[in-house]
Amino acid sequence: MARLRGANGCPWDRQQTIHSLRGFLLEETYETLDAIDRGNHRALLGEIGDLLFEGVFLAQVESDEGHFTVTDSLRAICEKLIRRHPHIFEAAASQVRTAGQVVEQWEQIKAREQQDAGERRSLLRGVPSSLPSLLRAHEIGTRVAAVGFDWARTLDVVAKIEEEVAELRSAVSSEGAERSEEEMGDLLFSIANLSRKLGIEPESALRRANAKFTARFEALEQAFEKQGRSVHDATLQEMESQWAKIKHVTPVASENAPTATSKSRRLEESKTRKNANLLSPKRRAARAPAKGRRRK
């Protein structure tokens, strides 16, 4: 990266900033999650490399601007891991035995670090607002649960969900859109906490549900196409009847099945650029220069 961003380096790499790289970091994160969800270890090998590369790229930009180096980042995480795992790295006897106790200890040490640094102590201050909302709700619940602010039983969360459903029903019936939105948020927050109590990562669960529904609806469309019809012309009763059949006979899409990713989109973009080069010089001159995509 130092060479790519050096005086005789790549023009594209040299012009990047931490802000321009933000989208690529997010993209690589989701592609890594996609490989995990599909159980594709070969793909995961490459995606981890891509994700690490984004960290190296960001650190090099910061180093070029005199802020810190990638070595500083690696040293910081090593020191943090040692500091927040005293039950492993310190000789004194420890009562920490379970994963729950580890989380609780982690948050306590973190709170002391904030206090020593003169920062306002808050469990939730470090939860990124840029996280997907469902995942952020899960993380918020995890952090407050670490200090005991949690439902005693999983069934208590189920009861809370039933309560929120009733409140949402009332809002939809008589209280208007704004109140309905508020109650819908409360319901989704409670569902995220039920997922946490069950040990289920909600974003992954929802991705799988989306994939399952998509596979079944595509099978529904194909069933009508075989009849020489379209779903646009079918009645709700006909679609529901066909849907019931599909649920019993159509296998759910495999987690290991290939999915469309930004890499395939980049291939299509490459083809598009190649075709664009066939335009006449006059046409090409009239086109705005493409921003381009970084190679991996």
Side-chain angles (χ1 to χ4, degrees):
M1 281 314 306
R3 182 170 178 179
L4 284 171
R5 286 183 52 83
N8 298 314
C10 172
W12 190 93
D13 292 295
R14 283 170 52 82
Q15 75 178 15
Q16 300 312 305
T17 67
I18 57 174
H19 302 291
S20 69
L21 293 175
R22 185 181 183 282
F24 296 114
L25 177 62
L26 186 61
E27 178 182 349
E28 297 302 349
T29 299
Y30 279 113
E31 290 186 355
T32 302
L33 291 173
D34 179 66
I36 292 172
D37 288 345
R38 292 185 286 124
N40 189 327
H41 301 288
R42 183 176 182 82
L44 184 58
L45 181 153
E47 297 300 348
I48 289 174
D50 291 342
L51 187 59
L52 290 172
F53 169 67
E54 297 301 333
V56 172
F57 203 150
L58 285 165
Q60 186 61 45
V61 172
E62 291 291 272
S63 177
D64 293 342
E65 296 180 358
H67 299 302
F68 60 83
T69 69
V70 68
T71 303
D72 297 326
S73 294
L74 294 172
R75 182 182 296 113
I77 185 57
C78 287
E79 291 174 352
K80 179 190 290 186
L81 289 173
I82 293 172
R83 192 169 62 247
R84 295 191 183 176
H85 289 84
H87 56 295
I88 301 298
F89 294 102
E90 293 183 5
S94 172
Q95 301 301 315
V96 173
R97 294 289 184 271
T98 68
Q101 290 173 331
V102 170
V103 173
E104 183 175 356
Q105 175 182 253
W106 177 284
E107 294 298 340
Q108 291 172 348
I109 295 173
K110 183 177 180 180
R112 287 202 300 270
E113 291 171 356
Q114 291 175 348
Q115 185 178 34
D116 292 342
E119 299 174 352
R120 185 175 64 86
R121 296 176 62 180
S122 174
L123 280 175
L124 304 181
R125 187 174 57 84
V127 181
S129 59
S130 57
L131 279 177
S133 295
L134 192 61
L135 186 58
R136 188 164 186 250
H138 183 273
E139 179 63 17
I140 288 171
T142 299
R143 294 204 181 189
V144 299
V147 295
F149 193 74
D150 196 10
W151 287 273
R153 304 177 305 152
T154 301
L155 285 178
D156 294 336
V157 195
V158 175
K160 179 62 176 176
I161 289 173
E162 292 171 346
E163 175 188 327
E164 296 297 350
V165 169
E167 292 179 359
L168 178 58
R169 181 181 292 110
S170 174
V172 170
S173 300
S174 59
E175 299 184 50
E178 184 175 348
R179 181 63 176 169
S180 295
E181 180 180 359
E182 180 183 350
E183 295 299 343
M184 176 60 76
D186 291 345
L187 175 59
L188 291 172
F189 187 84
S190 298
I191 290 173
N193 275 281
L194 176 59
S195 178
R196 173 182 58 81
K197 293 287 282 186
L198 294 172
I200 298 170
E201 200 279 293
E203 287 285 335
S204 295
L206 186 55
R207 278 196 299 272
R208 294 187 66 175
N210 288 340
K212 179 171 66 176
F213 183 91
T214 298
R216 287 175 174 174
F217 193 82
E218 288 177 349
L220 176 74
E221 291 176 314
Q222 293 169 7
F224 280 101
E225 287 171 2
K226 289 178 181 179
Q227 301 172 20
R229 303 178 61 196
S230 167
V231 291
H232 299 284
D233 304 321
T235 66
L236 177 59
Q237 183 176 2
E238 289 173 328
M239 286 190 285
E240 288 182 339
S241 176
Q242 188 62 51
W243 182 268
K245 297 177 184 177
I246 290 169
K247 285 180 65 175
H248 290 92
V249 302
T250 304
V252 176
S254 171
E255 284 291 309
N256 295 318
T259 61
T261 67
S262 61
K263 292 182 176 62
S264 62
R265 291 195 299 274
R266 281 195 285 272
L267 178 60
E268 292 302 316
E269 291 169 3
S270 177
K271 292 177 181 177
T272 301
R273 288 194 294 270
K274 182 177 179 181
N275 292 336
N277 290 334
L278 300 178
L279 294 171
S280 66
K282 183 177 180 180
R283 288 282 303 281
R284 289 201 301 272
R287 293 168 61 89
K291 293 182 180 178
R293 290 300 298 256
R294 175 164 41 79
R295 303 178 305 279
K296 289 189 182 177

